[in-house]
Amino acid sequence: MVFASSIPTGLRTPASAYNYNMAPSRTALSSLALLLALLLSCAAVSSAARRLEEAAPKEGEPHLTVPELPVPEHELPPLPKVELPPFPEVHLPPFPKVELPPKPEIPAIPEFHFPEPEEEAKP
Protein backbone atom coordinates (compact mmCIF):
# COMPACT_ATOMS: atom_id res chain seq x y z
CA MET A 1 0.00 0.00 0.00
CA VAL A 2 1.36 3.40 -0.97
CA PHE A 3 0.84 6.27 1.42
CA ALA A 4 0.51 9.82 0.19
CA SER A 5 3.39 10.86 2.37
CA SER A 6 5.74 8.42 0.56
CA ILE A 7 5.08 9.96 -2.90
CA PRO A 8 7.28 12.97 -3.69
CA THR A 9 5.29 16.20 -3.74
CA GLY A 10 6.15 16.87 -7.39
CA LEU A 11 4.40 13.63 -8.48
CA ARG A 12 1.26 14.09 -6.39
CA THR A 13 -1.95 15.02 -8.20
CA PRO A 14 -3.81 17.83 -6.50
CA ALA A 15 -7.07 16.83 -4.84
CA SER A 16 -8.95 19.31 -7.02
CA ALA A 17 -8.10 17.22 -10.09
CA TYR A 18 -10.44 14.44 -8.93
CA ASN A 19 -14.18 14.94 -9.21
CA TYR A 20 -15.84 12.35 -6.99
CA ASN A 21 -19.34 13.62 -7.77
CA MET A 22 -19.01 12.67 -11.44
CA ALA A 23 -21.88 10.40 -12.54
CA PRO A 24 -21.66 8.31 -15.74
CA SER A 25 -22.81 10.33 -18.73
CA ARG A 26 -25.65 9.30 -21.04
CA THR A 27 -23.25 8.49 -23.86
CA ALA A 28 -21.26 6.19 -21.59
CA LEU A 29 -24.44 4.41 -20.51
CA SER A 30 -25.69 4.08 -24.08
CA SER A 31 -22.28 2.78 -25.19
CA LEU A 32 -22.33 0.24 -22.37
CA ALA A 33 -25.86 -0.82 -23.32
CA LEU A 34 -24.81 -1.18 -26.97
CA LEU A 35 -21.81 -3.34 -26.05
CA LEU A 36 -23.99 -5.50 -23.80
CA ALA A 37 -26.56 -5.94 -26.59
CA LEU A 38 -23.79 -6.85 -29.05
CA LEU A 39 -22.39 -9.43 -26.65
CA LEU A 40 -25.81 -11.00 -26.12
CA SER A 41 -26.54 -11.12 -29.86
CA CYS A 42 -23.19 -12.82 -30.54
CA ALA A 43 -23.94 -15.42 -27.89
CA ALA A 44 -27.42 -16.02 -29.33
CA VAL A 45 -26.12 -16.42 -32.89
CA SER A 46 -23.40 -18.85 -31.85
CA SER A 47 -25.83 -21.01 -29.87
CA ALA A 48 -28.31 -21.00 -32.79
CA ALA A 49 -25.55 -22.07 -35.17
CA ARG A 50 -24.56 -24.88 -32.81
CA ARG A 51 -28.18 -26.11 -32.65
CA LEU A 52 -28.44 -26.04 -36.46
CA GLU A 53 -25.20 -28.01 -36.79
CA GLU A 54 -26.45 -30.67 -34.39
CA ALA A 55 -29.80 -30.90 -36.22
CA ALA A 56 -28.19 -31.32 -39.67
CA PRO A 57 -28.73 -34.78 -41.21
CA LYS A 58 -25.73 -37.06 -41.18
CA GLU A 59 -24.20 -38.65 -44.29
CA GLY A 60 -26.12 -41.94 -44.02
CA GLU A 61 -29.52 -40.43 -43.16
CA PRO A 62 -32.02 -39.83 -45.97
CA HIS A 63 -32.86 -36.24 -46.80
CA LEU A 64 -36.40 -34.95 -46.94
CA THR A 65 -37.71 -34.78 -50.47
CA VAL A 66 -40.05 -32.16 -51.83
CA PRO A 67 -42.85 -33.62 -53.94
CA GLU A 68 -43.00 -32.49 -57.56
CA LEU A 69 -45.97 -30.26 -58.20
CA PRO A 70 -47.88 -30.74 -61.44
CA VAL A 71 -47.40 -27.93 -63.90
CA PRO A 72 -50.60 -27.08 -65.74
CA GLU A 73 -50.22 -26.78 -69.47
CA HIS A 74 -51.59 -23.62 -70.97
CA GLU A 75 -52.33 -23.01 -74.59
CA LEU A 76 -51.59 -19.51 -75.70
CA PRO A 77 -53.78 -17.78 -78.27
CA PRO A 78 -52.12 -17.15 -81.62
CA LEU A 79 -50.27 -13.87 -81.90
CA PRO A 80 -51.91 -11.26 -84.09
CA LYS A 81 -50.18 -10.54 -87.37
CA VAL A 82 -48.67 -7.08 -87.30
CA GLU A 83 -48.62 -5.18 -90.55
CA LEU A 84 -46.55 -2.05 -90.79
CA PRO A 85 -47.47 0.74 -93.16
CA PRO A 86 -45.29 0.90 -96.25
CA PHE A 87 -42.10 2.87 -95.82
CA PRO A 88 -42.40 6.15 -97.71
CA GLU A 89 -39.90 6.80 -100.45
CA VAL A 90 -37.65 9.68 -99.58
CA HIS A 91 -35.56 11.48 -102.18
CA LEU A 92 -32.61 13.23 -100.65
CA PRO A 93 -30.26 15.51 -102.53
CA PRO A 94 -26.79 14.06 -103.04
CA PHE A 95 -24.17 14.99 -100.49
CA PRO A 96 -21.87 17.77 -101.61
CA LYS A 97 -18.31 16.75 -102.27
CA VAL A 98 -16.06 18.10 -99.55
CA GLU A 99 -12.49 18.87 -100.37
CA LEU A 100 -10.17 18.54 -97.40
CA PRO A 101 -6.75 20.15 -97.13
CA PRO A 102 -3.81 17.78 -97.52
CA LYS A 103 -2.89 15.77 -94.46
CA PRO A 104 0.04 17.39 -92.63
CA GLU A 105 3.17 15.33 -92.23
CA ILE A 106 3.88 14.19 -88.70
CA PRO A 107 7.51 14.69 -87.70
CA ALA A 108 9.39 11.57 -86.79
CA ILE A 109 10.00 10.94 -83.11
CA PRO A 110 13.71 11.22 -82.38
CA GLU A 111 15.30 8.15 -80.86
CA PHE A 112 16.39 8.40 -77.25
CA HIS A 113 19.49 6.75 -75.84
CA PHE A 114 20.49 6.80 -72.20
CA PRO A 115 23.88 8.38 -71.67
CA GLU A 116 26.73 6.01 -70.95
CA PRO A 117 27.79 6.08 -67.28
CA GLU A 118 31.04 7.85 -66.76
CA GLU A 119 33.74 5.74 -65.22
CA GLU A 120 35.15 7.22 -62.06
CA ALA A 121 38.86 7.83 -61.91
CA LYS A 122 40.53 5.24 -59.72
CA PRO A 123 43.48 6.46 -57.62
Side-chain angles (χ1 to χ4, degrees):
M1 179 166 202
V2 177
F3 294 103
S5 60
S6 65
I7 300 174
T9 56
L11 298 178
R12 288 187 202 164
T13 306
S16 63
Y18 298 109
N19 186 359
Y20 294 106
N21 296 330
M22 188 172 151
S25 66
R26 288 185 182 180
T27 56
L29 288 176
S30 63
S31 297
L32 183 63
L34 179 67
L35 287 174
L36 185 62
L38 185 64
L39 178 68
L40 290 175
S41 67
C42 288
V45 166
S46 68
S47 66
R50 189 177 306 113
R51 276 186 263 131
L52 282 174
E53 252 182 24
E54 291 169 358
K58 306 297 180 215
E59 288 294 324
E61 295 179 14
H63 294 283
L64 295 177
T65 58
V66 178
E68 292 287 330
L69 297 176
V71 179
E73 293 191 21
H74 297 287
E75 195 169 309
L76 296 175
L79 293 174
K81 185 174 181 181
V82 178
E83 291 188 20
L84 296 175
F87 192 75
E89 289 187 27
V90 178
H91 297 290
L92 295 175
F95 286 109
K97 185 168 183 170
V98 178
E99 302 224 3
L100 297 175
K103 183 177 173 183
E105 291 184 21
I106 298 176
I109 299 174
E111 292 185 24
F112 177 78
H113 298 287
F114 286 104
E116 295 294 326
E118 297 177 8
E119 293 184 20
E120 295 182 18
K122 295 183 181 176

